[in-house]
Amino acid sequence: MINFEILSIFPEMFSSPLNFSLLKKAQEKGLIKISLHNIRDWADDKQKMTDDAPYGGGCGMVMKLEPVEKALSAIRRGDEKDSTVVLMTPQGEVFNQKIAAELSHKKRIMIVCGRYEGVDERIREHLVDREISIGDYILTGGELAAMVLIDAVSRFIPDVLGNPDSAQDESFSQNLLEYPQYTRPAAYKGWMVPDILLSGNHAEIELWRRKESLRKTYKKRPDLLNKITLSDEDKKILDKIKLEDI
Ligand code: ADE
């Protein structure tokens, strides 16, 4: 079970997207727990300010250090080996399936959602273990990014997905894109499901899937092919694909 502890000034943002479908079931089954903490509750001035003007001047506001530090101190339970503190920020390492798998071994993930134009640098220096970005673009805050992380991490927890093989099989777990999938009807408006999938020949279907997986990756994400060691069989298939493509 992983407990995601969210530190945000808009914790309400998290209530709906995480309360549907597989993540809802995962919470009901006790496979994950999502705890929301409003950073504002640890702001001790009258206005409950969580941001302030930057030292040295400049436009925009900076997320204050003390409310985040106090919130984290209140949530932390001494020396927890299996817990980690993550700051969602566009400056972080870019999130991917490997990081999601690593985080899925933690028992508690405390996620600080940055806001405003940035966060006081001392939050990075003294309070967080890891900074994570979900891509090279700027969101209005870390909340949506945190939800993306929770979703991707949760899928690695046994029993969260209906089928235990799903997380293994799919795109990116082997650095290949997933082969094309079809379901009924076999024909619609003359748009056909490939005959091979209706043949019942499982060995041929496996081969076809591997080839189409390699083809998709070659066409859409050729960069991924450099990240895996292709078997001799895969290399032959890939050579064929390249010829077919000319
Ligand atoms: N906060 C703002 N933009 C972000 C991003 N791309 N990833 C993570 N947190 C963010």
Side-chain angles (χ1 to χ4, degrees), residues 88-90 114 132-142 145:
M88 302 313 300
T89 162
I132 294 180
S133 158
I134 61 160
D136 290 337
Y137 42 81
I138 315 286
L139 301 167
T140 52

Side-chain angles (χ1 to χ4, degrees), residues 67-112:
V68 174
E69 192 279 326
K70 286 179 180 153
L72 275 173
S73 298
I75 294 162
R76 274 202 177 106
R77 294 184 205 120
D79 217 15
E80 277 181 303
K81 256 204 309 30
D82 295 337
S83 79
T84 191
V85 180
V86 172
L87 172 67
M88 302 313 300
T89 162
Q91 293 185 16
E93 53 185 323
V94 179
F95 191 56
N96 59 27
Q97 197 71 341
K98 183 167 166 276
I99 301 174
E102 279 166 27
L103 289 174
S104 72
H105 298 294
K106 300 285 179 194
K107 289 272 170 281
R108 230 148 67 97
I109 305 176
M110 287 161 262
I111 308 176
V112 180

Side-chain angles (χ1 to χ4, degrees), residues 1-39:
M1 203 267 260
I2 300 186
N3 184 185
F4 295 98
E5 306 265 10
I6 322 274
L7 288 78
S8 163
I9 55 164
F10 296 123
E12 298 82 5
M13 274 179 75
F14 285 81
S15 23
S16 48
L18 303 174
N19 286 336
F20 286 94
S21 183
L22 294 176
L23 292 185
K24 180 180 182 212
K25 288 205 186 98
Q27 291 181 75
E28 287 167 356
K29 287 194 227 161
L31 300 170
I32 62 169
K33 181 176 173 199
I34 297 162
S35 314
L36 304 172
H37 308 278
N38 195 334
I39 296 172

Side-chain angles (χ1 to χ4, degrees), residues 100 116 223:
Y116 312 112
D223 58 299

